[in-house]
Amino acid sequence: MTYSSKQNISREEALSRAMRYCAYQERSTGDVVRKLNDWGLDDDEAIFWVIDNLKNEKFVDDQRFARIYANSKLNQNQWGKNKIKYALREKSVPDGYIKHAIEQLPDDKYHEVLQKLANEKAKKTGLKTREQRARLTRFLLQRGFSQEEINKAIHELIKDI
């Protein structure tokens, strides 16, 4: 079944569609609100009603979403905490849930990902010159790791040489 965008739909139809949308994969409240708007539901009271029903039925839970999203981005995309934070903010997840999700990331796995990325990039570009270290730093910053974490990882790499 396909849905044409920007059609006027009832809140009951919107709830039914939203339940299917959320059952497919974990969604944030912000994701669902954007999708409801895409479907043509732009009445704030109706949107609140749909979101409230989804939360009551456990289809939407921003705290659960933030935790799953943070773990998957660390494990699958090898993102650092900063990039994960920004992505969750883009999805309109409350800051408290973001902070909690970031704190729940396993430190050993986080440092393992950082060291692996740093090691792989250093093998390709080298670490002998200042420019090579700067290139590695920029790469890791883009991945969302903090300057302090990057400095420690580079120090470990240089120590092992």
Side-chain angles (χ1 to χ4, degrees):
M1 179 180 346
T2 60
Y3 303 113
S4 62
S5 63
K6 291 297 178 187
Q7 60 187 359
N8 287 331
I9 61 173
S10 70
R11 66 185 194 173
E12 290 78 13
E13 173 65 16
L15 177 61
S16 175
R17 287 184 186 184
M19 284 178 167
R20 286 191 300 275
Y21 178 67
C22 293
Y24 178 70
Q25 82 180 42
E26 199 65 45
R27 311 283 184 180
S28 72
T29 302
D31 289 338
V32 176
V33 169
R34 281 186 283 282
K35 188 54 85 172
L36 291 171
N37 286 325
D38 288 348
W39 291 333
L41 189 69
D42 49 11
D43 175 27
D44 288 343
E45 186 178 319
I47 290 173
F48 178 77
W49 181 84
V50 170
I51 296 296
D52 193 46
N53 276 287
L54 291 173
K55 286 182 177 180
N56 288 338
E57 296 295 323
K58 306 287 190 235
F59 279 94
V60 174
D61 182 340
D62 282 337
Q63 187 169 14
R64 180 181 67 207
F65 172 80
R67 190 178 60 252
I68 292 169
Y69 188 88
N71 278 308
S72 71
K73 291 303 177 186
L74 172 64
N75 294 325
Q76 295 172 3
N77 297 51
Q78 299 177 327
W79 285 4
K81 292 176 183 177
N82 293 336
K83 192 165 185 173
I84 294 169
K85 282 181 203 174
Y86 291 123
L88 284 168
R89 283 192 185 123
E90 285 291 312
K91 293 192 168 284
S92 305
V93 175
D95 286 340
Y97 294 159
I98 294 172
K99 184 177 186 245
H100 185 71
I102 296 297
E103 289 171 353
Q104 296 298 311
L105 291 173
D107 286 337
D108 55 338
K109 177 67 177 172
Y110 186 77
H111 294 296
E112 177 185 319
V113 167
L114 172 58
Q115 282 301 139
K116 179 181 170 229
L117 285 172
N119 193 27
E120 288 173 358
K121 187 70 171 179
K123 282 181 182 177
K124 291 179 186 174
T125 62
L127 278 177
K128 290 184 171 73
T129 67
R130 173 175 273 159
E131 178 55 38
Q132 290 170 332
R133 289 188 299 273
R135 188 175 299 140
L136 174 59
T137 298
R138 284 191 303 273
F139 169 75
L140 294 172
L141 282 169
Q142 182 183 21
R143 283 298 184 107
F145 295 96
S146 73
Q147 186 68 53
E148 184 180 333
E149 294 165 337
I150 293 167
N151 290 342
K152 287 179 185 175
I154 291 174
H155 180 74
E156 286 293 316
L157 289 174
I158 292 172
K159 188 173 76 173
D160 291 342
I161 295 177

